[in-house]
């Protein structure tokens, strides 16, 4: 049986830069897209479920460093979401 490759360390999806004239709704949508792109990058199983097959032979990096990298990126995205005024959505 062929061995399944572990996921190669992938660079996290960059958090979108905020445009000066971007509305709260546009910013929210941009962050949701950024988070989904991030998930497609770091969770090969999720990507495969979504129909992205280029990393089908890989698994999510469950090492401590992999978990730490994902948690750091999620914290950045969450911080950006918290900056959005919900009343403006």
């Amino acid at each position: 049986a062929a061995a399944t490759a572990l996921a190669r360390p992938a660079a996290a999806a960059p958090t979108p830069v905020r445009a000066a004239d971007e509305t709260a709704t546009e910013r929210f949508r941009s962050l949701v897209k950024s988070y989904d792109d991030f998930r497609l990058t770091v969770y090969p199983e999720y990507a495969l479920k979504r129909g992205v097959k280029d990393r089908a032979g890989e698994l999510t990096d469950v090492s401590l460093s992999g978990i730490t990298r994902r948690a750091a990126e999620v914290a950045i995205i969450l911080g950006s979401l918290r900056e959005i005024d919900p009343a403006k959505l």
Side-chain angles (χ1 to χ4, degrees), residues 2 7 10 18 24 28 34 39-40 45 51 56 58-59 76-77 86 88:
R18 182 177 183 177
F28 177 78
S34 178
R39 290 181 64 200
L40 290 170
E45 303 91 344
E58 299 177 23
L59 297 172
I76 291 168
I77 294 171
K88 293 183 179 180

Side-chain angles (χ1 to χ4, degrees), residues 6-79:
L6 289 177
R8 64 184 170 274
T15 303
V17 175
R18 182 177 183 177
D21 60 345
E22 188 175 42
T23 68
T25 300
E26 290 168 337
R27 179 70 176 150
F28 177 78
R29 287 181 179 154
S30 176
L31 287 167
V32 168
K33 169 115 176 58
S34 178
Y35 179 66
D36 192 55
D37 290 345
F38 162 75
R39 290 181 64 200
L40 290 170
T41 302
V42 298
Y43 297 111
E45 303 91 344
Y46 173 71
L48 184 59
K49 184 177 180 181
R50 295 276 309 274
V52 179
K53 298 178 182 176
D54 60 335
R55 295 181 61 201
E58 299 177 23
L59 297 172
T60 298
D61 179 1
V62 295
S63 69
L64 182 56
S65 63
I67 293 167
T68 302
R69 280 192 304 272
R70 289 190 301 275
E73 182 63 24
V74 169
I76 291 168
I77 294 171
L78 184 57

